[in-house]
Amino acid sequence: MPMPGTDAERWLRRFRPNASARVRLVCFPHAGGSASFYHPVAMAHAAADVVVLQYPGRQDRRHEPLVRSVAEYVARIGPILERERPVPTVYFGHSMGAVLAFETALALADTPAAPRAIVASGRRAPATHRNERVHLRDDEGLLDELRKLNGTQADLLGDEEIVRMALPAVRSDYRVIETYQAVPDSTVDCPITVLVGDDDPKTTVAEADRWREHSTAAFRLRTFPGGHFYLAEQQAEVNAELAATLSAVSKSAATR
């Protein structure tokens, strides 16, 4: 497949384009994750303009330099989203993607591109902190972490070629999120919905609940059975949450 040409084409993927959509869903993948993770989400929301971010260093962007910090991710993502056709938008991020969604929303807060709602999944609130150093482990230690989280299919982890290609991006993203520190008391003025697995080793329900401190608007927390990648087994329920959020944002925009 030829490499996408423009900066926007490299970063933004539309698996089911809908140029006339009146609401947009922007999906932010997890650490080491790629756009293809959200393909089922894109297929489930035909009425929306579903845009999935593709980070450098993976799949067709695997030869590009890796992004080294949350601030750098936001500095590169924000201007691209700001140039998109202005429609009411929801951000959906899982794990590291939840932090990138939040920080991008902060960066675009005073622009027409600011999201009308955020759905944060599988990530403790920016206000919380754990002294995590997975990115400093050797390759086997990093693979042990991936196996523990069940975020990558076991057969892929056993494929040496795929693992060799993926590990640099995984390690880099772990460094990005493990060295991240939120600005104290940072808030967005849009609603935040938080989704979390009740057995997630990376995020307790109490840590997820602290997202309420980061919004001056409505807040809602929903737990699901499962671990860090609960959404793989609870896809229908997660899509229902996204559909409800998209509908609420669309209706709210229509009354303004």
Side-chain angles (χ1 to χ4, degrees):
M1 178 182 292
M3 180 71 180
T6 69
D7 205 26
E9 288 172 339
R10 285 192 293 271
W11 280 89
L12 306 182
R13 305 298 162 88
R14 287 176 165 91
F15 297 114
R16 192 173 188 169
N18 185 347
S20 62
R22 297 184 179 182
V23 66
R24 176 176 296 127
L25 178 66
V26 180
C27 300
F28 294 73
H30 53 280
S34 59
S36 59
F37 179 79
Y38 283 113
H39 184 271
V41 172
M43 295 299 101
H45 301 282
D49 175 24
V50 182
V51 177
V52 185
L53 286 159
Q54 179 77 310
Y55 308 144
R58 61 220 73 200
Q59 293 184 331
D60 59 341
R61 302 191 71 186
R62 64 185 177 276
H63 299 301
E64 295 183 46
L66 296 162
V67 178
R68 299 297 181 179
S69 68
V70 167
E72 184 185 347
Y73 264 119
V74 172
R76 298 185 67 181
I77 293 169
I80 293 171
L81 294 180
E82 197 170 3
R83 291 194 292 269
E84 288 291 293
R85 178 176 64 93
V87 294
T89 298
V90 174
Y91 285 178
F92 174 42
H94 179 68
S95 197
M96 182 186 78
V99 167
L100 295 184
F102 175 72
E103 290 290 342
T104 303
L106 287 175
L108 298 181
D110 297 322
T111 75
R116 304 287 181 89
I118 296 172
V119 180
S121 167
R123 178 67 191 181
R124 56 189 178 272
T128 67
H129 178 72
R130 293 187 186 184
N131 187 24
E132 294 178 318
R133 300 185 178 186
V134 175
H135 71 278
L136 297 178
R137 298 180 187 177
D138 61 15
D139 287 354
E140 190 57 39
L142 197 56
L143 286 170
D144 285 343
E145 176 76 2
L146 298 180
R147 293 187 186 101
K148 181 178 72 174
L149 296 180
N150 295 316
T152 307
Q153 296 177 3
D155 58 338
L156 295 184
L157 288 175
D159 188 312
E160 183 179 350
E161 184 176 1
I162 291 178
V163 169
R164 188 167 57 249
M165 288 191 299
L167 277 184
V170 173
R171 186 181 301 282
S172 179
D173 280 352
Y174 266 81
R175 182 185 299 110
V176 164
I177 197 59
E178 290 178 347
T179 58
Y180 162 75
Q181 289 186 322
V183 174
D185 304 320
S186 54
T187 58
V188 292
D189 63 1
C190 66
I192 296 179
T193 297
V194 175
L195 313 178
V196 64
D198 61 8
D199 194 30
D200 188 342
K202 305 294 284 187
T203 303
T204 67
V205 173
E207 288 173 324
D209 187 69
R210 290 195 63 188
W211 275 96
R212 68 172 67 245
E213 301 171 16
H214 294 279
S215 175
T216 58
F219 172 82
R220 194 166 71 88
L221 172 67
R222 181 176 175 187
T223 61
F224 294 84
H228 189 61
F229 283 93
Y230 72 90
L231 66 176
E233 290 77 36
Q234 308 290 334
Q235 201 152 76
E237 289 79 2
V238 171
N239 278 325
E241 287 285 345
L242 294 173
T245 303
L246 288 166
S247 177
V249 163
S250 182
K251 289 177 181 177
S252 174
T255 60
R256 293 187 179 185

